[in-house]
């Protein structure tokens, strides 16, 4: 990971993590996977895309996902997001778009490329930043979770009036340490087809987010994608 470029705002907060045992073990694991000829997704240059797209001092919203899409050509380092040419969209992302249309009248059904959200201050953070191609969850428990816990803790401690959107039990557990006096935490079931009808639909996370930001003098997110 020594060749990874990390935004300077994040590097100052996270640099010490890279010399810790868990991160050295993670680096060794990823290197061994490569040497065995396994394809790791996303591309190495995109592992930290969430951090590089949303500098620490620009974070307004944090959405927590689980791990990257294992289908080659889909993941690019932002949770729930896919590359611009991906069709059809993953089912969870389709449901996110449906809720956005219901909530704010914003129609993003033409795309799943969420990069413009990240560039407005939406930190689209997966708990695990890599995966083996065609093998979902293959890199869970290898160390990434400790690193992303540190990222969440950093936002919690250094930012003011952020919105944390926690979809599903995994994200809610991941975000349990968030200071709810200092930030807004929005929780609902996951947007996957298995759970979306249990309370994700109708939860209005996007309008809640913008109302909270504006209440605290922070510019709202334009959720419409080009």
């Amino acid at each position: 990971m020594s060749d990874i470029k990390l935004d300077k705002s994040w590097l100052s907060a996270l640099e010490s993590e890279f010399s810790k045992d868990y991160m050295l073990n993670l680096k060794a694991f990823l290197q061994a996977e490569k040497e065995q000829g396994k394809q790791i997704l996303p591309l190495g240059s995109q592992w930290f895309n969430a951090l590089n797209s949303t500098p620490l001092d620009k974070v307004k919203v944090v959405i927590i996902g689980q791990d990257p899409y294992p289908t080659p050509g889909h993941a690019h380092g932002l949770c729930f997001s896919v590359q611009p040419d991906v069709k059809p969209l993953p089912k969870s992302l389709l449901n996110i778009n449906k809720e956005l249309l219901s909530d704010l009248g914003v129609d993003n059904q033409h795309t799943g490329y969420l990069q413009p959200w990240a560039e407005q201050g939406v930190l689209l953070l997966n708990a695990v930043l890599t995966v083996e191609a065609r093998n979902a969850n293959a890199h869970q428990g290898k160390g990434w979770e400790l690193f992303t816990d540190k990222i969440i803790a950093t936002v919690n401690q250094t930012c003011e009036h952020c919105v944390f959107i926690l979809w599903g039990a995994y994200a809610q557990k991941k975000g349990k340490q968030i200071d709810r006096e200092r930030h807004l935490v929005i929780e609902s079931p996951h947007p996957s087809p298995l759970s979306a009808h249990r309370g994700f639909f109708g939860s209005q996370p996007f309008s809640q987010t913008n109302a909270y930001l504006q209440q605290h003098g922070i510019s709202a997110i334009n959720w419409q994608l080009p």
Side-chain angles (χ1 to χ4, degrees), residues 13 21 42 100 165 192 201:
D21 285 347
L100 182 56
I165 299 176
S192 81
F201 290 131

Side-chain angles (χ1 to χ4, degrees), residues 38 45 55 72-73 81 90 106 110 126 154 178 182 197 222:
K38 294 180 180 178
S45 60
S81 183
V106 170
H110 60 290
N126 274 318
T154 299
I178 297 163
R182 187 171 182 164
H197 292 280
N222 175 14

Side-chain angles (χ1 to χ4, degrees), residues 164-180:
F164 288 82
I165 299 176
L166 309 179
W167 289 326
Y170 185 94
Q172 288 157 22
K173 183 178 179 183
K174 184 91 174 160
K176 67 180 184 297
Q177 302 300 329
I178 297 163
D179 184 348
R180 294 169 189 243

Side-chain angles (χ1 to χ4, degrees), residues 56-71:
L56 178 57
D57 58 348
K58 304 294 186 188
V59 176
K60 300 177 182 180
V61 182
V62 180
I63 299 177
I64 299 176
Q66 199 154 347
D67 71 338
Y69 295 114
T71 304

